[in-house]
Amino acid sequence: MLAINNLTATRDNWGLEVLGKYLAIDYGARRVGLATADTEARLASPFMTIAPHELVATIKREGPFEAVIVGLPRSLDGTNTPQTLAVKRFCDDVLWRKLHIDVVYQDEAATSSVAEERLKESGKPYEKGDIDAVAASIILQDYLDAL
C-alpha cells in the first residue's frame, strides 16, 4: 500500500496503482456476492461469491476500500422485511463491530432478477453464485451512477 497526498493507493492485479476501490455486498444467508470498482473509472464489475463466514477475511485481504456499499432489500412498497433486518444486523455485527466499517446502504430492488436475466442473455453457463456477484455489481453501479 502506498500513500499519495494522504490518499491510500493499492495495486490492482496488474501492479498498477489504484487510488481507491469500492466494494459492494449482496448479502445472503448462504452466499455473499461481491463487486468492485475503482474510484477513477467508476465501472462496477462482479468480483466473487463467497460464503458469509469468509467475508471478514476477504475484506481484510482485498481492502482497503473507499466505501463499502451494501444492498438493502425492501418490500415493493419500501417497507422493511425480515431480510432487511437481517442485512442491517449483519452490517452492525460484522462490518461495524469486527471491521469498524461504516456502510452505505443501496436499494437492491430487483437486482437478483436483473442479474439472472443478464446472465441468461449472455448465453454462457452460470451458477447460482454468479447471480449474487452480478447483483452486487448492479448495486454498486447504481450507487456510482448516483454520485
Side-chain angles (χ1 to χ4, degrees):
M1 203 170 347
L2 308 164
I4 300 175
N5 297 333
N6 294 328
L7 296 174
T8 302
T10 57
R11 294 197 181 273
D12 66 11
N13 292 339
W14 298 278
L16 301 172
E17 291 177 13
V18 178
L19 287 176
K21 294 187 292 185
Y22 295 103
L23 175 70
I25 300 172
D26 181 27
Y27 178 77
R30 284 181 253 144
R31 292 180 309 273
V32 178
L34 303 176
T36 59
D38 70 59
T39 56
E40 296 292 315
R42 293 188 178 182
L43 183 61
S45 299
F47 182 51
M48 67 172 65
T49 301
I50 58 174
H53 71 273
E54 298 173 303
L55 187 59
V56 170
T58 301
I59 290 174
K60 285 180 178 180
R61 182 180 65 247
E62 299 296 331
F65 297 100
E66 183 79 20
V68 175
I69 295 83
V70 177
L72 190 63
R74 294 181 184 248
S75 65
L76 293 176
D77 66 3
T79 59
N80 289 343
T81 67
Q83 186 62 19
T84 308
L85 302 177
V87 167
K88 287 184 174 185
R89 188 171 27 255
F90 152 77
C91 289
D92 187 45
D93 291 348
V94 175
L95 297 179
W96 176 245
R97 288 191 178 140
K98 289 184 180 179
L99 298 172
H100 308 291
I101 294 173
D102 281 321
V103 301
V104 177
Y105 292 111
Q106 178 67 35
D107 181 25
E108 68 164 39
T111 55
S112 292
S113 58
V114 171
E116 187 169 14
E117 199 55 41
R118 286 184 186 175
L119 288 166
K120 283 179 183 176
E121 288 173 1
S122 76
K124 298 176 185 175
Y126 64 91
E127 299 176 2
K128 284 186 177 184
D130 297 329
I131 296 169
D132 301 310
V134 173
S137 73
I138 294 168
I139 291 165
L140 181 52
Q141 194 62 56
D142 287 348
Y143 169 79
L144 295 170
D145 290 346
L147 289 179

